């Protein structure tokens, strides 16, 4: 295991949360969210991609700290409204490649701008809501991501509009009000690819040649999951975007605001997943540590082979760091072989070194604030686990544990 990463959340607070709410649980740190938002303050608008962490209380924090919101479903629109974001203004943008009848009704009722991802969406909204504010999400014909599954550009991506000219002519035909252009090439993209989006945006905006009010750089900003991962240089990223916007703005003779739409960057590092060791198993000469969370809670390692730094806290205040290290595989309780947290993208398992642990000690998965709780499921009929927010050393339960009865109630 690499150099011990400093716990973002104090050990004392983690132990209090365990005492009150029991394991397993998610914990978020308010200070870290605020710190990440401040890093992006030079962008005119920060639009939080709530799919990364959609708890209403997290959305309220985003609102309080001045961010706007991205919603990708009717459920996410409802969450945004519940958190206090308003329709009929720039607070919420609905981004998708489809729009169903219920969602269509909602965006029309609340006059929520739509970020168009398909020609069919233009026709649907155009027929019932002329003059509706729309953005165009352009597929820049290339993409990137930390995994093939999170790449959202190029010819193998279902996202965004490929034929921009056709989209623009239909937007005109239906008298829709084009207010912005948007590109998002993928999640966890590398810096060189992200930079290329600026040039693709200049090219598209000049080709479209319409006065607009907003340009969105999309999300995709990476975070350092591994202790030796490089941090993205926000200053220089902002600079190249600002330059591009100036160029577009001068040529099209209109004032344009620069948006950024991060999910992971704002919340990943604020969150940890706390689990308890339920079994220490020797299989031939390999040690499996089995904890009480599975890929129903944190799916990223099983789905993408994603790495999450893992640390240990003892149940009884034993000093662990001085102990001899053991090589282990970390797995969950699910009745499925792939329920392993230490696995690579090709599903091969690997070992990590941790201090010698005992049953009942706690395993902490770091940087799980993004795409952690929001991607959880009830697989193996395991209820959703609580979410706790720590602000100024005070623990706030922002989602309680689901009961088994609640889980079963839809079927009874
Ligand atoms: N904007 C759009 C249109 C998106 O589709 C996404 C992510 C974002 C913004 C935010 O991307 P971020 O800044 O968080 O990278 N479940 C995967 C990530 C999938 C992201 C899907 N779209 C993961 O756990 O890595």
């Amino acid at each position: 295991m690499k150099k011990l990463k400093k716990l973002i959340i104090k050990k004392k607070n983690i132990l209090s949360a365990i005492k009150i709410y029991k394991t397993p649980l998610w914990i978020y740190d308010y200070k870290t969210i605020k710190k990440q938002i401040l890093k992006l303050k030079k962008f005119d608008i920060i639009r939080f991609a709530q799919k990364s962490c959609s708890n209403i209380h997290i959305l309220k924090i985003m609102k309080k700290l001045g961010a706007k919101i991205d919603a990708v479903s009717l459920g996410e629109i409802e969450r945004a409204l519940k958190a206090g974001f308003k329709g009929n203004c720039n607070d919420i943008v609905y981004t998708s490649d489809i729009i169903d009848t219920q969602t269509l009704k909602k965006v029309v009722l609340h006059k929520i701008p739509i970020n168009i991802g398909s020609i069919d969406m233009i026709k649907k909204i155009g027929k019932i809501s002329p003059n509706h504010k729309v953005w165009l999400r352009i597929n820049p014909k290339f993409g990137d991501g930390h995994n093939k599954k999170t790449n959202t550009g190029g010819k193998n991506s279902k996202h965004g509009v490929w034929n921009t000219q056709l989209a623009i002519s239909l937007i005109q035909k239906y008298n829709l009000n084009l207010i912005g252009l948007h590109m998002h090439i993928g999640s966890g993209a590398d810096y060189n690819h992200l930079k290329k989006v600026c040039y693709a945006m200049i090219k598209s905006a000049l080709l479209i040649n319409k006065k607009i009010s907003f340009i969105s750089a999309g999300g995709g900003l990476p975070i350092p999951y591994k202790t030796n991962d490089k941090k993205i240089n926000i200053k220089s990223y902002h600079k190249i975007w600002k330059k591009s916007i100036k160029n577009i703005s001068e040529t099209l003779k209109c004032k344009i605001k620069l948006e950024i739409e991060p999910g992971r960057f704002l919340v990943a590092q604020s969150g940890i997943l706390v689990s308890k060791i339920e079994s220490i198993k020797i299989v031939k000469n390999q040690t499996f540590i089995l904890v009480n969370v599975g890929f129903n809670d944190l799916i990223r390692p099983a789905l993408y082979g994603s790495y999450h730094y893992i640390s240990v806290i003892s149940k009884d205040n034993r000093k662990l760091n001085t102990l001899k290290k053991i090589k282990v595989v970390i797995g969950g309780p699910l009745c499925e072989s792939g329920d392993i947290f230490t696995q690579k993208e090709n599903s091969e398992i690997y070992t990590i070194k941790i201090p010698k642990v005992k049953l009942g000690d706690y395993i902490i998965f770091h940087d799980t604030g993004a795409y952690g709780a929001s991607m959880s499921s009830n697989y193996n009929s395991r209820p959703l686990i609580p979410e706790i927010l720590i602000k100024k050393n005070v623990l706030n339960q922002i989602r309680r544990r689901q009961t088994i009865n609640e889980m079963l109630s839809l079927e009874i």
Side-chain angles (χ1 to χ4, degrees):
M1 198 159 58
K2 304 236 171 55
K3 195 175 82 211
L4 203 74
K5 191 164 165 174
K6 197 168 152 284
L7 271 178
I8 279 181
I9 299 167
K10 288 185 197 138
K11 193 169 138 187
K12 186 179 99 199
N13 286 335
I14 299 175
L15 288 169
S16 308
I18 293 173
K19 199 162 171 201
I20 303 169
Y21 304 107
K22 313 285 179 270
T23 65
L25 47 83
W26 303 97
I27 308 182
Y28 306 102
D29 176 47
Y30 170 82
K31 227 176 35 254
T32 307
I33 299 177
K34 188 169 174 185
K35 192 173 106 196
Q36 291 302 100
I37 287 216
L38 286 177
K39 285 185 188 165
L40 300 179
K41 67 175 188 297
K42 282 208 159 167
F43 287 83
D44 299 322
I45 295 164
I46 304 170
R47 187 172 298 285
F48 177 53
Q50 68 166 293
K51 69 194 75 129
S52 58
C53 187
S54 49
N55 187 299
I56 293 169
H57 300 272
I58 300 291
L59 305 192
K60 282 185 180 169
I61 291 176
M62 295 297 170
K63 179 156 172 38
K64 222 169 163 190
L65 297 175
K68 311 267 182 214
I69 205 86
D70 162 56
V72 299
S73 66
L74 183 56
E76 285 198 356
I77 291 175
E78 293 290 3
R79 283 181 179 278
L81 293 170
K82 285 242 160 29
F85 292 95
K86 299 273 180 285
N88 201 13
C89 64
N90 190 33
D91 266 14
I92 309 171
V93 171
Y94 171 74
T95 295
S96 185
D97 301 281
I98 62 135
I99 188 157
D100 57 40
T101 312
Q102 293 299 96
T103 315
L104 195 57
K105 278 188 188 154
K106 193 82 188 179
V107 296
V108 172
L109 178 70
H110 289 271
K111 296 195 167 62
I112 293 170
I114 305 182
N115 186 8
I116 299 275
S118 66
I119 299 294
D120 294 312
M121 283 175 83
I122 305 179
K123 295 180 184 165
K124 277 195 179 172
I125 188 72
K127 275 182 194 155
I128 64 162
S129 186
N131 255 318
H132 202 97
K133 286 185 181 156
V134 296
W135 290 63
L136 187 63
R137 176 173 179 181
I138 301 166
N139 179 336
K141 307 200 165 41
F142 65 90
D144 194 43
H146 65 78
N147 182 281
K148 244 197 301 204
K149 296 185 183 106
T150 69
N151 179 329
T152 58
K155 68 176 169 48
N156 290 324
S157 170
K158 64 179 178 140
H159 296 292
V161 167
W162 187 268
N163 188 340
T164 319
Q165 288 307 330
L166 173 64
I168 292 295
S169 65
L170 283 171
I171 286 173
Q172 264 169 335
K173 178 178 161 194
Y174 286 103
N175 280 321
L176 293 167
N177 179 8
L178 180 72
I179 59 168
L181 299 179
H182 175 282
M183 280 181 188
H184 171 76
I185 58 160
S187 199
D190 84 27
Y191 189 46
N192 287 329
H193 283 90
L194 283 172
K195 277 198 297 199
K196 264 173 55 188
V197 182
C198 293
Y199 311 118
M201 182 61 94
I202 299 179
K203 211 170 137 197
S204 291
L206 301 188
L207 194 74
I208 290 169
N209 194 21
K210 297 259 173 268
K211 290 195 193 313
I212 43 169
S213 310
F214 306 99
I215 278 183
S216 174
L221 305 179
I223 64 118
Y225 282 103
K226 292 190 175 148
T227 37
N228 52 356
D229 278 351
K230 262 206 187 144
K231 286 188 186 161
I232 182 168
N233 185 341
I234 296 294
K235 235 185 182 169
S236 89
Y237 186 55
H238 174 262
K239 219 162 138 190
I240 50 171
W241 264 107
K242 206 63 198 170
K243 213 168 129 197
S244 310
I245 297 286
K246 193 164 171 263
N247 183 336
I248 299 169
S249 190
E250 280 170 6
T251 317
L252 301 180
K253 297 196 172 40
C254 56
K255 247 187 149 174
I256 299 172
K257 286 195 167 156
L258 172 59
E259 285 205 15
I260 187 149
E261 196 176 54
R264 185 188 320 274
F265 186 81
L266 297 187
V267 287
Q269 293 156 103
S270 79
I272 56 170
L273 172 61
V274 181
S275 69
K276 189 167 79 180
I277 300 176
E278 298 286 6
S279 176
I280 302 175
K281 262 180 131 165
I282 310 294
V283 179
K284 205 170 177 194
N285 43 15
Q286 187 131 266
T287 307
F288 282 77
I289 303 281
L290 301 188
V291 294
N292 60 354
V293 291
F295 73 62
N296 62 304
D297 301 296
L298 176 66
I299 199 172
R300 301 192 73 253
L303 190 59
Y304 315 116
S306 295
Y307 171 90
H308 285 276
Y309 182 86
I310 289 170
S311 65
V312 185
I313 296 181
S314 66
K315 62 178 174 185
D316 48 13
N317 224 0
R318 281 168 8 258
K319 288 259 173 302
L320 291 178
N321 285 335
T322 51
L323 292 178
K324 201 176 133 239
K325 298 263 192 316
I326 49 169
K327 270 191 187 171
V328 299
V329 171
I330 311 267
L334 300 183
C335 190
E336 181 155 337
S337 316
D339 187 27
I340 295 291
F341 294 104
T342 48
Q343 65 174 298
K344 297 183 197 159
E345 203 174 329
N346 63 4
S347 308
E348 244 177 58
I349 61 173
Y350 60 86
T351 55
I352 57 168
K353 280 186 183 164
I354 62 167
K356 200 156 187 301
V357 285
K358 289 188 188 165
L359 289 184
D361 285 339
Y362 305 111
I363 294 282
I364 315 290
F365 298 89
H366 293 247
D367 305 317
T368 50
Y371 307 108
S374 66
M375 288 181 84
S376 301
S377 76
N378 285 131
Y379 186 46
N380 274 205
S381 293
R382 298 179 63 84
L384 298 176
I385 64 179
E387 294 176 275
I388 312 297
L389 174 75
I390 299 190
K391 189 175 171 185
K392 295 191 177 141
N393 286 321
V394 177
L395 308 185
N396 305 283
Q397 182 172 227
I398 58 173
R399 180 178 76 182
R400 64 172 172 80
R401 194 179 301 281
Q402 188 182 34
T403 64
I404 289 186
N405 275 343
E406 280 168 334
M407 194 176 58
L408 303 186
S409 64
L410 299 177
E411 298 153 47
I412 291 167

